[in-house]
Amino acid sequence: MSHPRDQQVETSFALLVTSDSRTLETDETGKLATELIEVAGHKVTRRDIKPNKPEEIKQWLKEAIADDTPVIITSGGTGIGGVDVTVDVARSLFDKELPGFGEQFRRLSYDEIGVAGLMSRATAGVAGKKLIFCLPGSRGAMRTALKEIILPGVGHMLWELKRR
C-alpha cells in the first residue's frame, strides 16, 4: 500500500498573475506555469491577470476559493515594495498558513539566485479546503516552486485536506 505522501492525483489549478503591465499575451510566467502544470497531468481551469490592487486581488481569490478548483497559485506581489500586496491579501483569507512552504522556497531560491531570494515573502496556506500558493512573478520562481515543491507534493497536500 502506498503512503499518502506518494499520492498521484490529477487535479485542477487556478492561476492569478498580479501585474500592472502584463497581459495574458505577454505574461511569460503564466504561460510557463500552465505548461508545467499540464505536462504534469493537471489542468489550469482559470488564468487571469489583475493589477496590484488589494480589492481586485481579494475578489479574485474569494471567487477562486468558492469554485471547484482545489489549487490556487498567485504570481507576483510577494516582494517588499509598496505595490507588493498579494501575500497580505491572501493571508487575510487563510484558515491556516503553511510556513514550511515559504521557508523551503526561500532556501531553494537562495541556492539559485543568492541573497535576493531571501527577500521574497512567498507563502502558502489553506482557505476553504483550497491550497493557495503565493509566488514571486518571475519565471524562475514559478519553475522552482512548481517543479520542486508544489507538483511533487500536491497529492499528499490534497489528501491531508480531505481528512479534515
Side-chain angles (χ1 to χ4, degrees):
M1 179 172 211
S2 70
H3 190 278
R5 76 171 169 260
D6 301 323
Q7 293 287 320
Q8 296 298 312
V9 298
E10 289 181 17
T11 192
S12 55
F13 288 70
L15 178 62
L16 173 65
V17 172
T18 59
S19 174
D20 294 326
S21 60
R22 296 182 195 178
T23 65
L24 285 175
E25 294 75 32
T26 63
D27 172 38
E28 294 301 320
T29 303
K31 289 176 187 173
L32 174 66
T34 301
E35 178 183 312
L36 292 173
I37 289 165
E38 290 176 350
V39 165
H42 308 291
K43 293 184 181 96
V44 174
T45 56
R46 180 175 184 176
R47 179 177 161 224
D48 295 299
I49 295 184
K50 294 290 179 189
N52 292 299
K53 294 182 179 173
E55 61 281 355
E56 291 192 42
I57 296 167
K58 189 170 200 169
Q59 182 60 39
W60 189 95
L61 285 170
K62 284 181 172 182
E63 290 171 12
I65 291 165
D67 78 13
D68 292 335
T69 305
V71 186
I72 300 163
I73 295 177
T74 69
S75 174
T78 64
I80 59 174
V83 298
D84 295 315
V85 297
T86 306
V87 169
D88 307 295
V89 172
R91 277 189 174 132
S92 76
L93 300 173
F94 287 171
D95 299 321
K96 294 181 179 181
E97 190 162 1
L98 305 173
F101 171 82
E103 293 161 2
Q104 176 66 356
F105 177 79
R106 281 181 286 282
R107 188 191 71 74
L108 293 168
S109 294
Y110 180 84
D111 291 346
E112 290 177 8
I113 63 171
V115 174
L118 300 179
M119 295 192 207
S120 169
R121 296 184 303 135
T123 192
V126 175
K129 294 192 176 187
K130 306 295 172 73
L131 294 168
I132 301 175
F133 298 93
C134 299
L135 309 177
S138 73
R139 288 171 49 89
M142 182 63 72
R143 181 181 293 106
T144 296
L146 280 170
K147 291 183 91 169
E148 301 295 328
I149 307 171
I150 298 170
L151 293 171
V154 73
H156 179 72
M157 289 182 269
L158 292 172
W159 178 83
E160 286 286 346
L161 281 179
K162 289 178 185 172
R163 294 179 47 198
R164 287 172 115 192

mmCIF file of all heavy atoms in Angstrom, residues 72-119:
data_model
loop_
_atom_site.group_PDB
_atom_site.id
_atom_site.type_symbol
_atom_site.label_atom_id
_atom_site.label_comp_id
_atom_site.label_asym_id
_atom_site.label_seq_id
_atom_site.Cartn_x
_atom_site.Cartn_y
_atom_site.Cartn_z
ATOM 1 N N ILE A 72 -4.819 26.908 -5.966
ATOM 2 C CA ILE A 72 -4.768 28.281 -6.446
ATOM 3 C C ILE A 72 -3.319 28.753 -6.350
ATOM 4 O O ILE A 72 -2.684 28.587 -5.301
ATOM 5 C CB ILE A 72 -5.682 29.185 -5.594
ATOM 6 C CG1 ILE A 72 -7.136 28.702 -5.660
ATOM 7 C CG2 ILE A 72 -5.542 30.650 -6.008
ATOM 8 C CD1 ILE A 72 -8.032 29.258 -4.564
ATOM 9 N N ILE A 73 -2.831 29.333 -7.431
ATOM 10 C CA ILE A 73 -1.482 29.890 -7.433
ATOM 11 C C ILE A 73 -1.564 31.356 -7.825
ATOM 12 O O ILE A 73 -2.219 31.695 -8.806
ATOM 13 C CB ILE A 73 -0.565 29.148 -8.420
ATOM 14 C CG1 ILE A 73 -0.363 27.694 -7.976
ATOM 15 C CG2 ILE A 73 0.784 29.857 -8.544
ATOM 16 C CD1 ILE A 73 0.484 26.869 -8.930
ATOM 17 N N THR A 74 -0.891 32.202 -7.031
ATOM 18 C CA THR A 74 -0.730 33.586 -7.430
ATOM 19 C C THR A 74 0.736 33.795 -7.777
ATOM 20 O O THR A 74 1.624 33.160 -7.216
ATOM 21 C CB THR A 74 -1.149 34.586 -6.331
ATOM 22 O OG1 THR A 74 -0.230 34.526 -5.244
ATOM 23 C CG2 THR A 74 -2.572 34.316 -5.864
ATOM 24 N N SER A 75 0.972 34.689 -8.719
ATOM 25 C CA SER A 75 2.323 35.014 -9.167
ATOM 26 C C SER A 75 2.473 36.521 -9.145
ATOM 27 O O SER A 75 1.740 37.225 -9.827
ATOM 28 C CB SER A 75 2.542 34.468 -10.581
ATOM 29 O OG SER A 75 3.777 34.880 -11.104
ATOM 30 N N GLY A 76 3.412 37.002 -8.332
ATOM 31 C CA GLY A 76 3.627 38.433 -8.200
ATOM 32 C C GLY A 76 3.123 38.942 -6.868
ATOM 33 O O GLY A 76 2.290 38.317 -6.216
ATOM 34 N N GLY A 77 3.674 40.075 -6.447
ATOM 35 C CA GLY A 77 3.208 40.710 -5.218
ATOM 36 C C GLY A 77 3.760 40.107 -3.946
ATOM 37 O O GLY A 77 3.169 40.256 -2.883
ATOM 38 N N THR A 78 4.927 39.426 -4.030
ATOM 39 C CA THR A 78 5.498 38.795 -2.841
ATOM 40 C C THR A 78 6.735 39.521 -2.321
ATOM 41 O O THR A 78 7.343 39.080 -1.353
ATOM 42 C CB THR A 78 5.888 37.326 -3.122
ATOM 43 O OG1 THR A 78 6.929 37.308 -4.098
ATOM 44 C CG2 THR A 78 4.702 36.515 -3.574
ATOM 45 N N GLY A 79 7.111 40.601 -2.965
ATOM 46 C CA GLY A 79 8.325 41.307 -2.574
ATOM 47 C C GLY A 79 8.094 42.283 -1.426
ATOM 48 O O GLY A 79 7.089 42.220 -0.715
ATOM 49 N N ILE A 80 9.037 43.202 -1.279
ATOM 50 C CA ILE A 80 8.983 44.140 -0.166
ATOM 51 C C ILE A 80 8.594 45.553 -0.606
ATOM 52 O O ILE A 80 8.548 46.461 0.212
ATOM 53 C CB ILE A 80 10.330 44.175 0.594
ATOM 54 C CG1 ILE A 80 11.482 44.590 -0.314
ATOM 55 C CG2 ILE A 80 10.604 42.814 1.238
ATOM 56 C CD1 ILE A 80 12.816 44.778 0.399
ATOM 57 N N GLY A 81 8.283 45.717 -1.885
ATOM 58 C CA GLY A 81 7.911 47.028 -2.406
ATOM 59 C C GLY A 81 6.483 47.421 -2.046
ATOM 60 O O GLY A 81 5.671 46.593 -1.618
ATOM 61 N N GLY A 82 6.178 48.663 -2.249
ATOM 62 C CA GLY A 82 4.858 49.193 -1.930
ATOM 63 C C GLY A 82 3.727 48.563 -2.725
ATOM 64 O O GLY A 82 2.600 48.490 -2.244
ATOM 65 N N VAL A 83 4.000 48.112 -3.950
ATOM 66 C CA VAL A 83 2.939 47.506 -4.769
ATOM 67 C C VAL A 83 2.763 46.021 -4.469
ATOM 68 O O VAL A 83 1.840 45.394 -4.979
ATOM 69 C CB VAL A 83 3.194 47.685 -6.287
ATOM 70 C CG1 VAL A 83 3.217 49.155 -6.658
ATOM 71 C CG2 VAL A 83 4.455 46.986 -6.724
ATOM 72 N N ASP A 84 3.621 45.457 -3.637
ATOM 73 C CA ASP A 84 3.583 44.019 -3.348
ATOM 74 C C ASP A 84 2.574 43.720 -2.246
ATOM 75 O O ASP A 84 2.908 43.698 -1.060
ATOM 76 C CB ASP A 84 4.984 43.532 -2.955
ATOM 77 C CG ASP A 84 5.973 43.642 -4.104
ATOM 78 O OD1 ASP A 84 5.608 43.251 -5.219
ATOM 79 O OD2 ASP A 84 7.101 44.107 -3.867
ATOM 80 N N VAL A 85 1.330 43.481 -2.653
ATOM 81 C CA VAL A 85 0.234 43.320 -1.692
ATOM 82 C C VAL A 85 -0.418 41.930 -1.730
ATOM 83 O O VAL A 85 -1.251 41.621 -0.883
ATOM 84 C CB VAL A 85 -0.855 44.395 -1.904
ATOM 85 C CG1 VAL A 85 -0.295 45.790 -1.660
ATOM 86 C CG2 VAL A 85 -1.459 44.291 -3.303
ATOM 87 N N THR A 86 -0.037 41.094 -2.680
ATOM 88 C CA THR A 86 -0.723 39.803 -2.851
ATOM 89 C C THR A 86 -0.642 38.941 -1.601
ATOM 90 O O THR A 86 -1.635 38.348 -1.174
ATOM 91 C CB THR A 86 -0.165 39.046 -4.072
ATOM 92 O OG1 THR A 86 -0.246 39.904 -5.217
ATOM 93 C CG2 THR A 86 -0.942 37.776 -4.328
ATOM 94 N N VAL A 87 0.531 38.833 -1.011
ATOM 95 C CA VAL A 87 0.701 37.994 0.179
ATOM 96 C C VAL A 87 -0.196 38.473 1.314
ATOM 97 O O VAL A 87 -0.859 37.678 1.976
ATOM 98 C CB VAL A 87 2.185 37.964 0.625
ATOM 99 C CG1 VAL A 87 2.340 37.325 1.995
ATOM 100 C CG2 VAL A 87 3.027 37.220 -0.396
ATOM 101 N N ASP A 88 -0.253 39.777 1.523
ATOM 102 C CA ASP A 88 -1.064 40.327 2.603
ATOM 103 C C ASP A 88 -2.550 40.021 2.395
ATOM 104 O O ASP A 88 -3.264 39.649 3.331
ATOM 105 C CB ASP A 88 -0.836 41.838 2.710
ATOM 106 C CG ASP A 88 0.642 42.155 2.824
ATOM 107 O OD1 ASP A 88 1.258 41.772 3.828
ATOM 108 O OD2 ASP A 88 1.194 42.765 1.879
ATOM 109 N N VAL A 89 -3.000 40.158 1.159
ATOM 110 C CA VAL A 89 -4.400 39.873 0.841
ATOM 111 C C VAL A 89 -4.694 38.390 1.040
ATOM 112 O O VAL A 89 -5.687 38.020 1.679
ATOM 113 C CB VAL A 89 -4.737 40.304 -0.604
ATOM 114 C CG1 VAL A 89 -6.124 39.834 -1.005
ATOM 115 C CG2 VAL A 89 -4.621 41.818 -0.746
ATOM 116 N N ALA A 90 -3.841 37.524 0.518
ATOM 117 C CA ALA A 90 -4.067 36.080 0.643
ATOM 118 C C ALA A 90 -4.069 35.652 2.108
ATOM 119 O O ALA A 90 -4.942 34.888 2.535
ATOM 120 C CB ALA A 90 -3.015 35.305 -0.141
ATOM 121 N N ARG A 91 -3.113 36.149 2.884
ATOM 122 C CA ARG A 91 -3.047 35.776 4.306
ATOM 123 C C ARG A 91 -4.330 36.140 5.035
ATOM 124 O O ARG A 91 -4.735 35.447 5.964
ATOM 125 C CB ARG A 91 -1.865 36.466 4.986
ATOM 126 C CG ARG A 91 -0.563 35.749 4.793
ATOM 127 C CD ARG A 91 0.533 36.352 5.671
ATOM 128 N NE ARG A 91 1.729 35.551 5.551
ATOM 129 C CZ ARG A 91 2.940 36.042 5.340
ATOM 130 N NH1 ARG A 91 3.121 37.355 5.235
ATOM 131 N NH2 ARG A 91 3.976 35.240 5.252
ATOM 132 N N SER A 92 -4.978 37.225 4.627
ATOM 133 C CA SER A 92 -6.223 37.632 5.296
ATOM 134 C C SER A 92 -7.341 36.619 5.059
ATOM 135 O O SER A 92 -8.337 36.622 5.786
ATOM 136 C CB SER A 92 -6.650 39.023 4.820
ATOM 137 O OG SER A 92 -7.222 38.981 3.519
ATOM 138 N N LEU A 93 -7.165 35.741 4.061
ATOM 139 C CA LEU A 93 -8.185 34.735 3.741
ATOM 140 C C LEU A 93 -7.821 33.337 4.244
ATOM 141 O O LEU A 93 -8.665 32.444 4.241
ATOM 142 C CB LEU A 93 -8.400 34.688 2.222
ATOM 143 C CG LEU A 93 -8.878 35.990 1.578
ATOM 144 C CD1 LEU A 93 -8.880 35.863 0.065
ATOM 145 C CD2 LEU A 93 -10.254 36.370 2.095
ATOM 146 N N PHE A 94 -6.569 33.134 4.658
ATOM 147 C CA PHE A 94 -6.129 31.805 5.088
ATOM 148 C C PHE A 94 -6.840 31.351 6.353
ATOM 149 O O PHE A 94 -6.987 32.108 7.301
ATOM 150 C CB PHE A 94 -4.623 31.791 5.401
ATOM 151 C CG PHE A 94 -3.691 31.865 4.224
ATOM 152 C CD1 PHE A 94 -2.332 32.038 4.437
ATOM 153 C CD2 PHE A 94 -4.140 31.765 2.915
ATOM 154 C CE1 PHE A 94 -1.436 32.110 3.375
ATOM 155 C CE2 PHE A 94 -3.257 31.833 1.843
ATOM 156 C CZ PHE A 94 -1.900 32.006 2.081
ATOM 157 N N ASP A 95 -7.227 30.063 6.365
ATOM 158 C CA ASP A 95 -7.648 29.403 7.604
ATOM 159 C C ASP A 95 -6.395 28.927 8.341
ATOM 160 O O ASP A 95 -6.344 28.937 9.560
ATOM 161 C CB ASP A 95 -8.546 28.203 7.294
ATOM 162 C CG ASP A 95 -9.817 28.598 6.553
ATOM 163 O OD1 ASP A 95 -10.390 29.656 6.883
ATOM 164 O OD2 ASP A 95 -10.213 27.863 5.639
ATOM 165 N N LYS A 96 -5.409 28.476 7.566
ATOM 166 C CA LYS A 96 -4.131 28.022 8.111
ATOM 167 C C LYS A 96 -3.034 28.432 7.147
ATOM 168 O O LYS A 96 -3.211 28.339 5.933
ATOM 169 C CB LYS A 96 -4.091 26.491 8.249
ATOM 170 C CG LYS A 96 -5.054 25.938 9.261
ATOM 171 C CD LYS A 96 -4.930 24.435 9.357
ATOM 172 C CE LYS A 96 -5.903 23.908 10.396
ATOM 173 N NZ LYS A 96 -5.816 22.468 10.549
ATOM 174 N N GLU A 97 -1.904 28.845 7.706
ATOM 175 C CA GLU A 97 -0.740 29.149 6.871
ATOM 176 C C GLU A 97 0.211 27.956 6.907
ATOM 177 O O GLU A 97 0.276 27.220 7.899
ATOM 178 C CB GLU A 97 -0.034 30.403 7.368
ATOM 179 C CG GLU A 97 1.026 30.895 6.395
ATOM 180 C CD GLU A 97 1.448 32.329 6.602
ATOM 181 O OE1 GLU A 97 0.941 32.988 7.526
ATOM 182 O OE2 GLU A 97 2.300 32.799 5.827
ATOM 183 N N LEU A 98 0.938 27.755 5.819
ATOM 184 C CA LEU A 98 1.910 26.666 5.713
ATOM 185 C C LEU A 98 3.308 27.286 5.642
ATOM 186 O O LEU A 98 3.881 27.434 4.551
ATOM 187 C CB LEU A 98 1.632 25.828 4.460
ATOM 188 C CG LEU A 98 0.223 25.256 4.335
ATOM 189 C CD1 LEU A 98 0.031 24.601 2.981
ATOM 190 C CD2 LEU A 98 -0.046 24.279 5.458
ATOM 191 N N PRO A 99 3.886 27.665 6.773
ATOM 192 C CA PRO A 99 5.158 28.380 6.752
ATOM 193 C C PRO A 99 6.301 27.575 6.135
ATOM 194 O O PRO A 99 7.230 28.155 5.572
ATOM 195 C CB PRO A 99 5.428 28.702 8.225
ATOM 196 C CG PRO A 99 4.567 27.784 9.001
ATOM 197 C CD PRO A 99 3.393 27.456 8.131
ATOM 198 N N GLY A 100 6.251 26.262 6.204
ATOM 199 C CA GLY A 100 7.311 25.440 5.626
ATOM 200 C C GLY A 100 7.457 25.641 4.138
ATOM 201 O O GLY A 100 8.565 25.527 3.595
ATOM 202 N N PHE A 101 6.367 25.962 3.449
ATOM 203 C CA PHE A 101 6.462 26.210 2.014
ATOM 204 C C PHE A 101 7.385 27.397 1.744
ATOM 205 O O PHE A 101 8.311 27.316 0.947
ATOM 206 C CB PHE A 101 5.091 26.457 1.376
ATOM 207 C CG PHE A 101 5.218 26.927 -0.040
ATOM 208 C CD1 PHE A 101 5.421 26.024 -1.059
ATOM 209 C CD2 PHE A 101 5.192 28.282 -0.347
ATOM 210 C CE1 PHE A 101 5.589 26.454 -2.373
ATOM 211 C CE2 PHE A 101 5.367 28.730 -1.650
ATOM 212 C CZ PHE A 101 5.561 27.811 -2.659
ATOM 213 N N GLY A 102 7.120 28.517 2.401
ATOM 214 C CA GLY A 102 7.930 29.716 2.190
ATOM 215 C C GLY A 102 9.373 29.504 2.598
ATOM 216 O O GLY A 102 10.300 29.963 1.922
ATOM 217 N N GLU A 103 9.567 28.779 3.694
ATOM 218 C CA GLU A 103 10.933 28.509 4.155
ATOM 219 C C GLU A 103 11.704 27.706 3.109
ATOM 220 O O GLU A 103 12.852 28.026 2.772
ATOM 221 C CB GLU A 103 10.884 27.751 5.481
ATOM 222 C CG GLU A 103 10.320 28.582 6.629
ATOM 223 C CD GLU A 103 9.855 27.743 7.799
ATOM 224 O OE1 GLU A 103 9.999 26.506 7.775
ATOM 225 O OE2 GLU A 103 9.328 28.345 8.760
ATOM 226 N N GLN A 104 11.096 26.649 2.604
ATOM 227 C CA GLN A 104 11.763 25.812 1.603
ATOM 228 C C GLN A 104 11.959 26.573 0.285
ATOM 229 O O GLN A 104 13.007 26.460 -0.343
ATOM 230 C CB GLN A 104 10.977 24.518 1.358
ATOM 231 C CG GLN A 104 11.543 23.627 0.279
ATOM 232 C CD GLN A 104 12.899 23.032 0.612
ATOM 233 O OE1 GLN A 104 13.500 23.315 1.633
ATOM 234 N NE2 GLN A 104 13.412 22.207 -0.281
ATOM 235 N N PHE A 105 10.956 27.332 -0.109
ATOM 236 C CA PHE A 105 11.080 28.101 -1.337
ATOM 237 C C PHE A 105 12.251 29.079 -1.237
ATOM 238 O O PHE A 105 13.051 29.199 -2.167
ATOM 239 C CB PHE A 105 9.779 28.848 -1.661
ATOM 240 C CG PHE A 105 9.928 29.708 -2.880
ATOM 241 C CD1 PHE A 105 9.861 29.153 -4.143
ATOM 242 C CD2 PHE A 105 10.202 31.062 -2.758
ATOM 243 C CE1 PHE A 105 10.053 29.935 -5.276
ATOM 244 C CE2 PHE A 105 10.401 31.851 -3.880
ATOM 245 C CZ PHE A 105 10.319 31.282 -5.135
ATOM 246 N N ARG A 106 12.357 29.785 -0.117
ATOM 247 C CA ARG A 106 13.461 30.736 0.043
ATOM 248 C C ARG A 106 14.810 30.017 0.084
ATOM 249 O O ARG A 106 15.802 30.526 -0.453
ATOM 250 C CB ARG A 106 13.244 31.609 1.282
ATOM 251 C CG ARG A 106 12.249 32.737 1.021
ATOM 252 C CD ARG A 106 12.035 33.616 2.229
ATOM 253 N NE ARG A 106 11.229 32.966 3.241
ATOM 254 C CZ ARG A 106 9.895 32.855 3.170
ATOM 255 N NH1 ARG A 106 9.231 33.350 2.151
ATOM 256 N NH2 ARG A 106 9.232 32.255 4.130
ATOM 257 N N ARG A 107 14.880 28.835 0.662
ATOM 258 C CA ARG A 107 16.129 28.073 0.672
ATOM 259 C C ARG A 107 16.546 27.726 -0.752
ATOM 260 O O ARG A 107 17.694 27.920 -1.149
ATOM 261 C CB ARG A 107 15.998 26.792 1.500
ATOM 262 C CG ARG A 107 17.346 26.076 1.688
ATOM 263 C CD ARG A 107 17.214 24.691 2.265
ATOM 264 N NE ARG A 107 16.648 23.735 1.327
ATOM 265 C CZ ARG A 107 17.285 23.217 0.277
ATOM 266 N NH1 ARG A 107 18.511 23.568 -0.010
ATOM 267 N NH2 ARG A 107 16.686 22.354 -0.505
ATOM 268 N N LEU A 108 15.591 27.226 -1.528
ATOM 269 C CA LEU A 108 15.888 26.892 -2.923
ATOM 270 C C LEU A 108 16.266 28.144 -3.718
ATOM 271 O O LEU A 108 17.187 28.119 -4.532
ATOM 272 C CB LEU A 108 14.692 26.198 -3.573
ATOM 273 C CG LEU A 108 14.354 24.805 -3.037
ATOM 274 C CD1 LEU A 108 12.988 24.350 -3.550
ATOM 275 C CD2 LEU A 108 15.434 23.801 -3.394
ATOM 276 N N SER A 109 15.556 29.229 -3.485
ATOM 277 C CA SER A 109 15.838 30.486 -4.191
ATOM 278 C C SER A 109 17.223 31.012 -3.845
ATOM 279 O O SER A 109 17.941 31.504 -4.713
ATOM 280 C CB SER A 109 14.790 31.548 -3.853
ATOM 281 O OG SER A 109 13.533 31.161 -4.345
ATOM 282 N N TYR A 110 17.592 30.911 -2.587
ATOM 283 C CA TYR A 110 18.921 31.350 -2.176
ATOM 284 C C TYR A 110 19.996 30.561 -2.921
ATOM 285 O O TYR A 110 20.973 31.125 -3.406
ATOM 286 C CB TYR A 110 19.087 31.198 -0.665
ATOM 287 C CG TYR A 110 20.446 31.640 -0.174
ATOM 288 C CD1 TYR A 110 20.701 32.979 0.090
ATOM 289 C CD2 TYR A 110 21.466 30.723 0.019
ATOM 290 C CE1 TYR A 110 21.951 33.403 0.526
ATOM 291 C CE2 TYR A 110 22.723 31.124 0.451
ATOM 292 C CZ TYR A 110 22.953 32.460 0.707
ATOM 293 O OH TYR A 110 24.199 32.863 1.129
ATOM 294 N N ASP A 111 19.778 29.248 -3.035
ATOM 295 C CA ASP A 111 20.732 28.415 -3.773
ATOM 296 C C ASP A 111 20.832 28.837 -5.235
ATOM 297 O O ASP A 111 21.895 28.743 -5.836
ATOM 298 C CB ASP A 111 20.326 26.935 -3.704
ATOM 299 C CG ASP A 111 20.485 26.346 -2.307
ATOM 300 O OD1 ASP A 111 21.147 26.975 -1.448
ATOM 301 O OD2 ASP A 111 19.936 25.251 -2.078
ATOM 302 N N GLU A 112 19.718 29.306 -5.806
ATOM 303 C CA GLU A 112 19.685 29.663 -7.227
ATOM 304 C C GLU A 112 20.145 31.087 -7.510
ATOM 305 O O GLU A 112 20.875 31.322 -8.463
ATOM 306 C CB GLU A 112 18.264 29.482 -7.785
ATOM 307 C CG GLU A 112 17.840 28.031 -7.880
ATOM 308 C CD GLU A 112 16.404 27.873 -8.365
ATOM 309 O OE1 GLU A 112 15.780 28.872 -8.782
ATOM 310 O OE2 GLU A 112 15.915 26.736 -8.305
ATOM 311 N N ILE A 113 19.698 32.057 -6.681
ATOM 312 C CA ILE A 113 19.957 33.460 -7.019
ATOM 313 C C ILE A 113 20.635 34.257 -5.907
ATOM 314 O O ILE A 113 20.839 35.454 -6.045
ATOM 315 C CB ILE A 113 18.667 34.184 -7.475
ATOM 316 C CG1 ILE A 113 17.627 34.246 -6.348
ATOM 317 C CG2 ILE A 113 18.099 33.531 -8.719
ATOM 318 C CD1 ILE A 113 16.438 35.124 -6.657
ATOM 319 N N GLY A 114 20.968 33.610 -4.807
ATOM 320 C CA GLY A 114 21.663 34.303 -3.731
ATOM 321 C C GLY A 114 20.736 35.078 -2.810
ATOM 322 O O GLY A 114 19.550 34.768 -2.694
ATOM 323 N N VAL A 115 21.290 36.091 -2.182
ATOM 324 C CA VAL A 115 20.589 36.842 -1.139
ATOM 325 C C VAL A 115 19.247 37.407 -1.599
ATOM 326 O O VAL A 115 18.299 37.490 -0.824
ATOM 327 C CB VAL A 115 21.503 37.964 -0.586
ATOM 328 C CG1 VAL A 115 20.760 38.852 0.388
ATOM 329 C CG2 VAL A 115 22.715 37.347 0.097
ATOM 330 N N ALA A 116 19.134 37.778 -2.866
ATOM 331 C CA ALA A 116 17.865 38.322 -3.365
ATOM 332 C C ALA A 116 16.710 37.346 -3.136
ATOM 333 O O ALA A 116 15.565 37.766 -2.927
ATOM 334 C CB ALA A 116 17.976 38.660 -4.847
ATOM 335 N N GLY A 117 16.979 36.054 -3.136
ATOM 336 C CA GLY A 117 15.944 35.051 -2.904
ATOM 337 C C GLY A 117 15.346 35.110 -1.508
ATOM 338 O O GLY A 117 14.234 34.647 -1.285
ATOM 339 N N LEU A 118 16.072 35.702 -0.577
ATOM 340 C CA LEU A 118 15.574 35.792 0.797
ATOM 341 C C LEU A 118 14.599 36.944 0.984
ATOM 342 O O LEU A 118 13.949 37.039 2.014
ATOM 343 C CB LEU A 118 16.746 35.943 1.769
ATOM 344 C CG LEU A 118 17.751 34.799 1.750
ATOM 345 C CD1 LEU A 118 18.874 35.070 2.741
ATOM 346 C CD2 LEU A 118 17.087 33.461 2.030
ATOM 347 N N MET A 119 14.490 37.815 -0.009
ATOM 348 C CA MET A 119 13.590 38.959 0.118
ATOM 349 C C MET A 119 12.167 38.634 -0.316
ATOM 350 O O MET A 119 11.277 39.471 -0.211
ATOM 351 C CB MET A 119 14.143 40.132 -0.675
ATOM 352 C CG MET A 119 15.449 40.579 -0.075
ATOM 353 S SD MET A 119 15.984 42.132 -0.714
ATOM 354 C CE MET A 119 17.746 41.926 -0.495
#
